[in-house]
């Protein structure tokens, strides 16, 4: 643990408006918690910033005292990159304001905003930026890695909708980047993660969405999973971009439209959302009922903000999590066989295999147009291994690794940077041919690798 004098900490407190938290502060344990309970680390200092000026001071202080520095938006990173023993933690959670210009269809989000904050403010005007599927995820980490969810097939990645950002550099100076100003930095932060500075505001292009959208899950018995997944594959091949259908295999949650005897039994769930007129959505979703003999469905016209929170109860903070992820261009017969095989032996009641449908607008951009390179991917598998107690760690982690290895032959070899788990060293796979260019941008903006507690791109 770094030994900082109380004088040094007092000096920093005098320069910032936010709170400085040390291991002896009453709220230290509360403020060092992150989403994944597998990660339990003790930073030397937490600077709970109230604005960009505080971020600048925190960076300068860390440099002066040679402190390793990590950055946290909403703390959802599965590898826990925002939290390190003995480091200074720049906590952006209080900077969560979202400002909307409905005429210009633009939103400016603070780096502490969660997806739910962004949806709440933008949907007040019937507008939205495409984000992810869990409303407590941070807009910052999500955007910096790429960001996809229910409307990405029609509207692109979250990062594809970024039009400008304010960034505090490794020198503690604030700069703005967009297509014209620091375009290399703007390219790098659209997928390149927190390697290049601390983003203190994100400016997004907005789209008309909802406010009601046809959406909901349809549930099939697990013994139909193979047949339904084969038909799902054909369905996805010709499905309109407005429609997004994911596939989830897990124990059935107590959904109100399922008979009680189905709760807790293994099922295949296809959650779907149609981003367009309700009538067209009704028809599009009805087609999913023909993929098998469903146990039930919860399809309806629901508020977009509601569906954006539909998975929240299954993704609450405080559980132990280990995720593995592959990108696929197709779901081959053999791959479907492996998915079913491993789904039939999920290691815990909360674990699930998630297949996100990609394609559409996310693939209409050239792989080198932004740092996010995976523009040929049709499906992203995320293995959500999730459990409660440390005595299950070995069984759960081993199952996930074995499953990952068994499905590797069918994958592209690339991985979404935001799904890399603790202990993995797949950063090059996350960036593919864009890695060297990212490395050059890193050398320009952070030659000393000050921002290294992340999925690290090294200066060249
Ligand atoms: C329950 C759950 C659901 C998810 N669902 C989706 C999904 O649907 N779609 C999807 O695309 N992803 C999803 N993710 C992955 C998510 O995008 C990443 O976990 C992301 O890192 C979360 O951002 P955060 O700000 O909450 O993370 P943090 O842990 O706070 O930050 C992650 C890293 O990002 C960097 N960082 C954060 N803020 C800044 C900043 N302002 N400036 C510079 N660097 C910064 C830092 O390096 C930090 O270590 C999900 C994750 C979880 C846990």
């Amino acid at each position: 643990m770094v030994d900082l004098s109380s004088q040094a900490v007092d000096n920093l407190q005098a320069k910032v408006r936010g709170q400085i938290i040390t291991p002896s502060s009453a709220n230290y344990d509360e403020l060092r918690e992150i989403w994944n309970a597998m990660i339990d680390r003790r930073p030397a200092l937490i600077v709970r910033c109230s604005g960009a000026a505080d971020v600048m001071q925190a960076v300068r202080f860390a440099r002066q005292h040679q402190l390793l520095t990590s950055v946290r938006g909403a703390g959802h990173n599965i590898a826990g990159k925002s939290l390190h023993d003995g480091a200074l933690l720049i906590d952006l959670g209080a900077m969560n304001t979202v400002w909307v210009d409905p005429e210009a269809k633009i939103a400016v989000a603070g780096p502490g905003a969660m997806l739910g904050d962004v949806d709440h403010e933008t949907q007040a005007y019937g507008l939205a930026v495409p984000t992810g599927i869990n409303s407590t995820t941070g807009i910052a980490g999500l955007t910096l890695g790429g960001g996809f969810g229910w409307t990405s097939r029609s509207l692109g990645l979250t990062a594809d909708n970024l039009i400008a950002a304010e960034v505090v550099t490794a020198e503690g100076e604030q700069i703005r980047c967009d297509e014209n100003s620091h375009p290399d930095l703007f390219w790098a932060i659209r997928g390149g993660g927190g390697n290049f500075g601390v983003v203190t505001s994100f400016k997004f292009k907005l789209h008309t969405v909802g406010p009601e959208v046809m959406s909901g899950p349809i549930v099939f018995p697990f013994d139909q999973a193979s047949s339904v997944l084969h038909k799902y594959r054909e369905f996805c091949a010709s499905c309109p971009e407005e429609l997004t259908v994911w596939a989830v295999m897990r124990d059935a949650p107590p959904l109100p439209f399922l008979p009680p005897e189905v709760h807790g039994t293994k099922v295949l769930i296809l959650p779907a959302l149609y981003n367009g007129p309700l009538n067209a959505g009704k028809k599009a979703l009805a087609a999913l009922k023909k993929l098998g003999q469903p146990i039930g469905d919860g399809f309806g016209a629901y508020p977009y903000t509601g569906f954006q929170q539909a998975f929240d109860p299954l993704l609450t903070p405080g559980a132990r999590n280990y995720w593995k992820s592959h990108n696929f261009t197709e779901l081959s017969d053999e791959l479907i066989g492996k998915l079913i095989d491993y789904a039939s032996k999920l290691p815990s009641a909360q674990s699930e295999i998630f297949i996100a449908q990609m394609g559409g607008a996310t693939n209409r951009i050239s792989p080198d147009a932004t740092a996010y390179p995976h523009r040929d991917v049709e499906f992203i598998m995320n293995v959500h291994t999730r459990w409660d107690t440390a005595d299950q760690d070995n069984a759960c982690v081993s199952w996930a690794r074995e499953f990952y290895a068994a499905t590797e032959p069918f994958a592209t070899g690339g991985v979404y940077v935001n799904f890399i788990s603790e202990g993995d060293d797949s950063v090059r796979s996350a960036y593919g041919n864009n890695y060297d260019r990212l490395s050059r941008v890193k050398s320009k903006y952070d030659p000393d690798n000050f921002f290294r507690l992340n999925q690290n791109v090294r200066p060249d």
Side-chain angles (χ1 to χ4, degrees), residues 357-425:
Q357 186 194 6
M358 301 295 288
T362 63
N363 286 359
R364 271 201 298 277
I365 290 178
S366 163
D368 61 0
T370 67
Y372 177 94
H374 314 290
R375 303 297 186 167
D376 60 345
V377 168
E378 294 295 331
F379 301 95
I380 294 182
M381 177 177 79
N382 198 0
V383 184
H384 287 175
T385 325
R386 182 178 161 96
W387 64 100
D388 283 327
T389 53
D391 59 336
Q392 295 171 275
D393 286 4
N394 275 344
C396 289
V397 172
S398 305
W399 172 85
R401 288 189 175 146
E402 200 188 297
F403 178 32
Y404 175 81
T407 43
E408 197 165 17
F410 313 101
T412 63
V415 65
Y416 176 37
V417 71
N418 278 347
F419 288 168
I420 299 178
S421 243
E422 173 64 3
D424 284 359
D425 191 18

Side-chain angles (χ1 to χ4, degrees), residues 206-228:
L206 300 177
H207 307 264
T208 301
V209 174
E212 283 196 330
V213 282
M214 278 304 297
S215 51
I218 182 165
V219 180
F220 296 90
F222 190 67
D223 61 12
Q224 291 178 29
S226 176
S227 142
V228 174

Side-chain angles (χ1 to χ4, degrees), residues 71 73-77 92 132-134 138 140-142 144 147-148 194 197 199 416 418:
V71 179
H76 269 229
N77 185 258
L92 304 164
I133 65 149
N134 167 236
L142 180 114
L144 293 169
F148 65 87
V199 179
Y416 176 37
N418 278 347

Side-chain angles (χ1 to χ4, degrees), residues 274-286:
Y274 187 87
N275 177 25
L278 294 178
N279 274 344
K282 203 171 174 181
K283 267 192 218 148
L285 264 56

Side-chain angles (χ1 to χ4, degrees), residues 34-36 70-84 90 92 110-115 131-150 152 157-158 166-168 189 193-202 246 311-312 314-317 321 323 354 356 380 382 384 386 416-419 451-455:
I34 57 170
W35 184 82
N36 185 358
S70 65
V71 179
R72 183 172 69 194
H76 269 229
N77 185 258
I78 192 67
K81 290 290 181 187
S82 66
L83 201 62
H84 286 265
I90 297 182
L92 304 164
M114 296 185 281
L115 307 189
T131 59
I133 65 149
N134 167 236
S135 75
T136 58
T137 306
I139 192 72
L142 180 114
T143 307
L144 293 169
F148 65 87
W150 301 119
S152 313
L157 298 179
T158 315
E166 308 274 345
V167 183
V168 171
I189 64 167
N195 276 289
F196 309 95
V198 185
V199 179
T200 54
S201 84
F202 295 83
W246 291 17
F311 277 89
D312 287 6
L314 301 177
L315 295 168
T316 49
N321 287 269
W323 290 7
F354 240 89
I380 294 182
N382 198 0
H384 287 175
R386 182 178 161 96
Y416 176 37
V417 71
N418 278 347
F419 288 168
F451 296 110
R452 77 182 71 154
L453 300 180
N454 44 38
Q455 302 296 359

